[in-house]
Amino acid sequence: MELRNYETVFILTPVLSEQQTKDAVEKFKKILTDNNAEIVNEEAWGIRKLAYPIQNKQTGYYYIVEFKAEGTLVAKLELEYKRDEKVIRFLTTVLDKHAVAYNERKQKGLVGKKPVAAEAKAE
């Protein structure tokens, strides 16, 4: 089966200790690696304000993982999200070639910056 690019974001409840948060993140990364997924990139966005209250909470701990895997893994991963009471929201999306290219540029720090040629013309 063909490997596809995915991105998953999950929000953990903000009342967890730092160690509990790390354990939860490691648990989900282990699910990915145990099922032969290749983790391309991961980012901890930290505690952020939610757009609307979820379970009477105003903030949540955001974590994002970009990975390559077979399509059947997404169902397993999302089932684990649903079973874990620490997760208050999650979203997994398939990345097309444009999203993959954008993420690569973002990781290199090229997103949101002016091209060098445009800066030279401005001077």
Side-chain angles (χ1 to χ4, degrees):
M1 204 168 173
E2 182 184 343
L3 295 181
R4 297 182 76 181
N5 291 296
Y6 294 93
E7 186 172 77
T8 186
V9 178
F10 56 92
I11 306 172
L12 299 173
T13 181
V15 298
L16 300 175
S17 70
E18 190 174 329
Q19 187 58 45
Q20 289 172 316
T21 302
K22 285 181 183 178
D23 291 344
V25 168
E26 289 304 316
K27 171 187 168 184
F28 296 122
K29 285 173 38 181
K30 186 172 180 350
I31 291 168
L32 292 172
T33 55
D34 287 352
N35 288 283
N36 301 322
E38 175 192 340
I39 296 178
V40 177
N41 187 39
E42 56 186 287
E43 293 179 44
W45 289 354
I47 293 184
R48 294 190 174 202
K49 188 173 183 338
L50 300 171
Y52 54 89
I54 302 173
Q55 299 172 0
N56 295 323
K57 293 175 178 55
Q58 300 293 326
T59 59
Y61 182 85
Y62 284 70
Y63 201 86
I64 183 168
V65 180
E66 183 182 344
F67 62 96
K68 291 181 182 179
E70 295 179 358
T72 56
L73 175 58
V74 174
K76 292 177 189 176
L77 179 64
E78 290 188 346
L79 180 63
E80 289 301 321
Y81 286 150
K82 290 175 186 175
R83 288 180 175 167
D84 195 327
E85 62 188 29
K86 297 177 195 119
V87 177
I88 56 177
R89 282 289 188 276
F90 63 89
L91 178 67
T92 304
T93 57
V94 178
L95 299 178
D96 63 6
K97 64 181 181 180
H98 303 292
V100 171
Y102 175 83
N103 283 348
E104 288 173 358
R105 288 195 328 267
K106 185 171 81 173
Q107 291 166 18
K108 293 177 184 173
L110 301 175
V111 172
K113 295 184 179 180
K114 295 180 182 177
V116 176
E119 290 176 7
K121 290 180 184 177
E123 293 176 358

